[in-house]
Amino acid sequence: MKISILEEFTRFGGGQTVFGYIFGALTENGYSPEVVTDRHHRYLPDYVSKESILGTSLNDPDWSKPISVFPALVKLKRELRKIVPEGASINNHPNVFLYNATINFAHEIFGFMAHNPSLLDRPALMFLKKTGIFSIYKGGNFLVQGKFTKRQTIETMKSLGVFDLKIDTIDLPVVMPDSVRLESKVKSVLTFGRISPDKTLENTLQVARSIPDVKFTLAGKVDPKDKKYADMLSKEAPENVSVVVNPDTELKDLLFRKNKVYFHTKKNENYGISVAEAVSYGCYPIVPVEGGAFEDVLQGGKIGAGYASEE
């Protein structure tokens, strides 16, 4: 049985990690997932052998100018009608592909709003709401990671004039590592994730300066557009911080096995797949109290610890 999965690969973050889980589970259970993506697919995984390439997506328009959205939107709808066959489908980025699939997996508030603060102004929101372009999701079936993301999704969609969503909450599973030896862990700190300004990774440097006798490792993938930010972190890192850019799977596994503490920096993150991974490796997680990492992954502080300020 064929199932279409809509996914974007402009970067490799938590959403793409979830895609890997979905793709693998479907394949193992005898399904034939066919991937639909856009022309911005720099990080398309090697194991994806079938893909339909769209000429556009909501990655294309300049969202600081909402009027520019409509030409891209018309083209996207036309292409989706041609490429996505009838039958079961999963939209793993409904903020990028405006398509009401059998299941829509929302990983965050719609990214174009989060990354374009001007859209949070009331006039811009009213404009988008009046257009009704997101009404396609009315009555849609949504999956979200945790209670925090559910609230964020409902509030965001209401601001866009979309009500009556059917939202189910799941706790995202992670692949459990084999043979983690807790007694061999070093009293050092790991911060892991996509290296980009929105992750506020400079907070790791700030904390590391306050405890110079503790070793820190800051590691993650870097998109080309974020290279200057990664270079800045490397340049400003104190002597007790190692910055590791684009670690492979083997090195990532080694870092999680080695470090005893995991420090998460981004506030109001919707879930934090890296935090869940850290817990699976037996790391002691320390995360901001504001966000899904604390509320859902750490169950409100039953696991690890939360902080309100880096100080």
Side-chain angles (χ1 to χ4, degrees):
M1 178 181 176
K2 287 187 176 181
I3 296 180
S4 297
I5 308 177
L6 287 80
E7 178 60 291
E8 67 117 2
F9 297 99
T10 59
R11 62 182 183 175
F12 193 90
Q16 288 74 25
T17 299
V18 174
F19 164 83
Y21 293 152
I22 295 172
F23 189 94
L26 290 173
T27 303
E28 290 172 9
N29 285 278
Y31 293 94
S32 300
E34 183 165 309
V35 179
V36 177
T37 189
D38 64 7
R39 59 192 177 89
H40 310 284
H41 54 278
R42 177 188 297 269
Y43 294 102
L44 187 71
D46 293 337
Y47 58 80
V48 176
S49 58
K50 296 180 180 179
E51 71 274 0
S52 298
I53 308 299
L54 298 169
T56 190
S57 71
L58 296 190
N59 280 322
D60 287 290
D62 180 359
W63 281 93
S64 65
K65 302 174 183 177
I67 196 67
S68 71
V69 172
F70 294 97
L73 190 62
V74 172
K75 185 178 181 182
L76 175 61
K77 284 187 174 181
R78 184 169 61 244
E79 291 181 349
L80 285 171
R81 282 197 296 267
K82 292 180 180 179
I83 290 178
V84 182
E86 293 184 4
S89 57
I90 300 171
N91 189 348
N92 201 43
H93 268 89
N95 58 321
V96 174
F97 303 103
L98 201 65
Y99 182 81
N100 192 7
T102 310
I103 297 174
N104 303 288
F105 207 131
H107 303 282
E108 58 184 356
I109 63 171
F110 275 23
F112 53 80
M113 295 177 68
H115 302 313
N116 293 281
S118 61
L119 293 183
L120 300 177
D121 295 337
R122 185 168 180 79
L125 275 179
M126 291 301 294
F127 173 79
L128 289 173
K129 183 176 180 180
K130 284 286 186 182
T131 63
I133 61 176
F134 296 101
S135 61
I136 189 173
Y137 290 123
K138 286 184 178 179
N141 295 310
F142 278 74
L143 284 180
V144 295
Q145 305 164 59
K147 298 175 182 177
F148 182 84
T149 309
K150 181 176 181 178
R151 292 197 304 274
Q152 293 274 1
T153 301
I154 291 173
E155 291 171 8
T156 302
M157 296 300 267
K158 280 183 177 180
S159 69
L160 294 169
V162 180
F163 302 89
D164 303 322
L165 297 177
K166 301 171 185 175
I167 301 183
D168 287 316
T169 302
I170 65 169
D171 290 319
L172 189 66
V174 295
V175 178
M176 295 297 292
D178 296 324
S179 305
V180 175
R181 298 177 60 188
L182 298 181
E183 69 277 7
S184 67
K185 282 183 172 289
V186 179
K187 291 182 180 180
S188 53
V189 181
L190 173 66
T191 295
F192 193 97
R194 184 169 46 84
I195 297 179
S196 63
D198 65 296
K199 300 292 186 179
T200 60
L201 296 169
E202 57 272 17
N203 292 343
T204 294
L205 306 188
Q206 178 184 339
V207 172
R209 291 189 188 100
S210 68
I211 42 176
D213 57 330
V214 176
K215 296 291 186 182
F216 284 71
T217 300
L218 194 165
K221 290 187 177 294
V222 180
D223 295 339
K225 64 181 177 61
D226 296 320
K227 185 178 183 303
K228 287 185 178 180
Y229 179 70
D231 290 343
M232 178 275 292
L233 292 173
S234 297
K235 183 178 179 180
E236 297 187 5
E239 291 185 0
N240 61 326
V241 177
S242 297
V243 178
V244 180
V245 173
N246 296 324
D248 58 21
T249 303
E250 184 177 347
L251 180 53
K252 174 185 175 182
D253 178 71
L254 178 63
L255 290 172
F256 275 101
R257 288 178 185 275
K258 173 185 175 182
N259 290 276
K260 195 168 188 176
V261 175
Y262 182 83
F263 180 66
H264 198 63
T265 56
K266 185 176 180 180
K267 296 180 180 179
N268 289 311
E269 188 158 36
N270 287 272
Y271 192 80
I273 184 65
S274 61
V275 179
E277 289 179 315
V279 172
S280 74
Y281 276 87
C283 301
Y284 185 84
I286 301 174
V287 308
V289 294
E290 301 169 350
F294 182 77
E295 180 176 343
D296 295 305
V297 181
L298 302 193
Q299 301 174 31
K302 291 181 181 179
I303 304 169
Y307 67 91
S309 170
E310 291 75 17
E311 299 176 359

